[in-house]
Amino acid sequence: MTDNDWKEKLTPEQYRVLREGGTETPGTGKYVDFAEDGMYHCAACGRALFKSDTKYESTIPGLIGWPAFSEAAANDAVELKSDDSLGMARTEVVCKKCGSHLGHLFDDPSSPNGKHYCINSVCLDFAPKDNKK
Ligand code: FE
């Protein structure tokens, strides 16, 4: 995909976050207060990224306002990169298939396993679980 391909495929807000490493305004994303059963996919390429049963509500100020997951859906779902932008040492989370920015990984004592994948809603497409299977 070229940069122009991404601009055509994605909304301007998706492009800003997924392809330019932006962050959506806290509390505004469609999956912040959302608890259905299913799978969250990459909004850019469709790869399965996070399962709904790993989504939780963090209680840490500063980490509230985006969807929070304790782990990725599979080993080949996401990739972690060091990110020193904005004067902070953080771990960036990107889609392992298409390289799009998703959010950041933090330590979080309120997480079931101590890990907090802080992911922008605009980077995700939710698919409900198929109960017929
Ligand atoms: Fe992707």
Side-chain angles (χ1 to χ4, degrees), residues 1-2 9 17 21 23 28 30 37 39-40 53 61 66 73 82 87-88 90 93 101 117 121 129-133:
M1 294 277 274
T2 68
K9 181 182 167 75
V17 179
T23 299
T28 64
K30 60 182 172 180
D37 282 344
M39 179 69 82
Y40 294 84
D53 59 7
W66 299 274
S82 64
M88 293 180 275
R90 294 183 293 171
V93 182
H101 174 80
Y117 288 81
S121 292
K129 197 172 269 179
D130 184 351
N131 291 318
K132 295 178 204 106
K133 280 181 188 166

Side-chain angles (χ1 to χ4, degrees), residues 10-117:
L10 303 172
T11 67
E13 173 72 354
Q14 284 179 324
Y15 181 85
R16 185 182 74 81
V17 179
L18 285 158
R19 302 307 305 174
E20 298 185 319
T23 299
E24 70 192 5
T25 306
T28 64
K30 60 182 172 180
Y31 298 131
V32 176
D33 295 314
F34 184 88
E36 289 184 29
D37 282 344
M39 179 69 82
Y40 294 84
H41 297 257
C42 176
C45 76
R47 167 144 309 180
L49 298 178
F50 297 99
K51 295 176 185 167
S52 59
D53 59 7
T54 68
K55 193 172 188 287
Y56 73 100
E57 298 296 327
S58 178
T59 60
I60 305 302
L63 296 182
I64 297 168
W66 299 274
F69 301 92
S70 56
E71 60 185 296
N75 286 337
D76 62 354
V78 303
E79 194 171 343
L80 304 177
K81 297 182 165 183
S82 64
D83 174 6
D84 296 325
S85 66
L86 305 179
M88 293 180 275
R90 294 183 293 171
T91 301
E92 182 187 15
V93 182
V94 306
C95 173
K96 199 156 189 176
K97 183 177 177 191
C98 74
S100 291
H101 174 80
L102 302 171
H104 289 89
L105 175 63
F106 299 100
D107 291 327
D108 179 351
S110 73
S111 163
N113 65 359
K115 294 295 176 189
H116 180 145
Y117 288 81

